[in-house]
């Protein structure tokens, strides 16, 4: 009985939720194999319910799942502190400010040179830190908790809903069918009579070549062909020189 209790205690001390393991093992910012020919197909989202990395084109299939956006900073994966704190206690993990948002690193960043000087150092990778932090990444804190044989579940927080931020861009594969007004270049006015111009709506704008005026086909005060020809053929009078004295 005591041996069984020891085994259970050991499993509890080394237990880690599947989504937390996925954040550490899944590869991000690589091309999605399901959308390899699509644009913006980098896998920058972690589905916490499926425990896998997905791209923006996969969001529709995971829209009811908990989704965590992963960002890139100095060639390392980071997550917004505001989002991660909904899942786990991130105290003592050093945060950095990127685009007015605080982020934390997901994985440890070993330092080649040994730290010399005053200040705190990371509990796992000996990286120099600012006070009052003791971990340089989420992975370092989790490793420290398990190494101390503490119960990791005490640091987890219940989170049933986690959605992407409103600024996250989700590409649409369908083309936009939005219509636009166009400019057409013609030599003569559109339409043959004033009644047709008043009853039929038109979204086109008519422009006379070079010096001709802009005429909107929607206008009720339609200029007739004869007036138009008169205006275009109007010339200035011949200038007269003053008599020589």
């Amino acid at each position: 009985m005591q041996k069984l209790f020891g085994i259970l205690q050991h499993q509890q001390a080394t237990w880690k939720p599947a989504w937390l393991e996925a954040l550490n093992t899944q590869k991000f910012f690589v091309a999605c194999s399901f959308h390899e020919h699509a644009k913006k197909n980098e896998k920058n989202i972690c589905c916490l319910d499926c425990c896998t990395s997905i791209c923006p084109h996969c969001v529709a299939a995971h829209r009811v799942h908990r989704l965590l956006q992963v960002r890139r900073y100095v060639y390392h994966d980071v997550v917004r502190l505001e989002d991660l704190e909904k899942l786990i206690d991130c105290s003592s993990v050093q945060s950095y400010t990127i685009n007015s948002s605080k982020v934390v690193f997901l994985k440890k960043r070993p330092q080649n040179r040994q730290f010399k000087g005053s200040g705190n150092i990371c509990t796992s990778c000996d990286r120099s830190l600012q006070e009052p932090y003791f971990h340089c990444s989420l992975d370092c804190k989790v490793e420290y908790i398990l190494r101390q044989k503490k119960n990791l579940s005490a640091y987890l927080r219940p989170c049933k809903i986690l959605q992407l931020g409103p600024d996250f861009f989700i590409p649409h594969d369908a083309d936009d069918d939005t219509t636009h007004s166009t400019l057409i270049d013609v030599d003569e006015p559109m339409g043959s009579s004033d009644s047709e111009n008043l009853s039929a709506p038109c979204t086109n704008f008519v422009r006379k070549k070079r010096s001709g005026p802009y005429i909107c086909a929607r206008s009720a005060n339609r200029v007739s062909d004869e007036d138009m020809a008169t205006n275009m053929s109007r010339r200035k009078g011949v200038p007269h020189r003053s008599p020589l004295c």
Side-chain angles (χ1 to χ4, degrees):
M1 187 66 181
Q2 188 176 2
K3 184 178 181 180
L4 179 61
F5 178 77
I7 295 175
L8 294 176
Q9 190 176 13
H10 175 73
Q11 291 179 349
Q12 187 178 16
T14 57
W15 174 83
K16 191 187 302 184
W19 63 263
L20 188 57
E21 187 70 25
L23 284 176
N24 190 37
T25 57
Q26 286 292 309
K27 291 184 178 181
F28 298 98
F29 296 96
V30 294
C32 177
S33 59
F34 296 103
H35 303 93
E36 57 183 351
H37 299 295
K39 296 181 179 179
K40 298 184 181 297
N41 64 345
E42 281 188 335
K43 300 165 75 171
N44 60 348
I45 308 168
C46 183
C47 179
L48 304 182
D49 294 327
C50 298
C51 301
T52 185
S53 56
I54 62 175
C55 77
H57 298 275
C58 302
V59 171
H62 300 260
R63 59 183 178 273
V64 296
H65 296 171
R66 296 174 299 167
L67 302 179
L68 182 65
Q69 182 182 358
V70 180
R71 293 171 167 82
R72 199 75 165 165
Y73 178 64
V74 198
Y75 304 103
H76 291 278
D77 300 333
V78 297
V79 175
R80 282 202 315 174
L81 180 62
E82 181 182 358
D83 296 334
L84 199 58
E85 280 188 331
K86 298 176 183 178
L87 302 165
I88 188 172
D89 179 16
C90 297
S91 59
S92 301
V93 180
Q94 181 163 327
S95 60
Y96 301 84
T97 302
I98 305 174
N99 296 332
S100 303
S101 298
K102 288 187 176 182
V103 299
V104 294
F105 287 93
L106 289 178
K107 303 174 183 178
K108 61 174 59 178
R109 299 172 297 142
Q111 195 168 9
N112 296 330
R113 294 180 299 175
Q114 189 175 3
F115 173 72
K116 295 180 180 180
S118 60
N120 296 343
I121 60 174
C122 180
T123 56
S124 298
C125 59
D126 296 334
R127 177 173 288 271
S128 60
L129 302 174
Q130 300 175 357
E131 294 185 355
Y133 304 109
F134 294 100
H135 315 288
C136 72
S137 67
L138 177 64
D139 186 33
C140 290
K141 178 170 183 176
V142 172
E143 182 180 311
Y144 174 78
I145 293 174
L146 297 179
R147 191 167 63 244
Q148 297 295 319
K149 297 182 179 180
K150 296 180 179 180
N151 189 0
L152 183 61
S153 60
Y155 297 86
L156 301 178
R157 293 172 177 172
C159 180
K160 296 182 179 180
I161 299 176
L162 185 62
Q163 299 177 344
L164 299 173
D167 58 336
F168 184 80
F169 175 74
I170 300 178
H172 299 281
D173 297 332
D175 295 333
D176 294 335
D177 295 329
T178 307
T179 56
H180 303 279
S181 298
T182 57
L183 284 172
I184 59 176
D185 199 7
V186 296
D187 289 330
E188 295 185 5
M190 294 179 61
S192 58
S193 66
D194 294 341
S195 60
E196 292 178 358
N197 293 331
L198 290 174
S199 59
C202 179
T203 58
N204 295 331
F205 292 89
V206 182
R207 184 180 66 183
K208 291 299 291 184
K209 284 187 177 179
R210 296 177 183 173
S211 61
Y214 288 93
I215 303 172
C216 179
R218 294 183 186 145
S219 176
N221 299 326
R222 185 68 178 172
V223 182
S224 64
D225 294 347
E226 184 178 352
D227 295 338
M228 189 68 185
T230 303
N231 292 333
M232 295 301 297
S233 61
R234 183 176 298 172
R235 294 290 185 272
K236 293 183 179 180
V238 179
H240 297 279
R241 294 181 179 178
S242 60
L244 297 175
C245 298

